[in-house]
Amino acid sequence: MNFNDYQQKANRTLAGNEHVLTNLSLGLASESGEAIDLIKKYTFQGQDLDKVKLQHELGDVLWYLSQIALWAEIDFDDVATSNLQELAKRYPQAKK
């Protein structure tokens, strides 16, 4: 599956209203925080890293990112491609 397919399929679950972008932005922050909390507990509190929960939270983050991009009429494949291009410029010594 490519990112654009994901973006379109994920959009089927978006409940829209006049505050869609605000809802998506707050959801992204919330879900990012949940992922960060798992990492914090692992790093600083000696808890085991629950990879199942982390994968779930990362999936939620991905959903919100894809829907923000779709709202802004930005193809998610383009987001990923341009990010990889930027990383290649920033880290030219990295292995290909």
Side-chain angles (χ1 to χ4, degrees):
M1 170 180 299
N2 67 41
F3 281 122
N4 287 343
D5 288 341
Y6 172 86
Q7 188 178 34
Q8 294 300 322
K9 289 177 181 178
N11 185 250
R12 296 176 192 164
T13 62
L14 177 65
N17 62 37
E18 67 275 8
H19 301 289
V20 171
L21 184 58
T22 300
N23 180 43
L24 292 172
S25 299
L26 293 172
L28 175 60
S30 175
E31 296 299 338
S32 297
E34 290 185 35
I36 291 166
D37 192 54
L38 291 170
I39 295 166
K40 176 192 75 173
K41 288 176 181 177
Y42 167 76
T43 304
F44 296 108
Q45 298 173 5
Q47 294 184 14
D48 290 337
L49 182 60
D50 188 332
K51 292 182 182 182
V52 172
K53 284 185 182 177
L54 182 58
Q55 180 175 334
H56 172 81
E57 298 306 336
L58 293 174
D60 289 346
V61 169
L62 183 65
W63 185 89
Y64 279 105
L65 285 173
S66 77
Q67 296 310 292
I68 290 169
L70 187 62
W71 181 90
E73 299 178 352
I74 299 170
D75 285 338
F76 216 35
D77 276 341
D78 293 344
V79 172
T81 299
S82 64
N83 180 254
L84 288 176
Q85 291 169 347
E86 183 63 32
L87 289 171
K89 290 179 197 171
R90 204 177 294 160
Y91 303 101
Q93 72 283 5
K95 292 183 179 182
K96 296 184 181 202

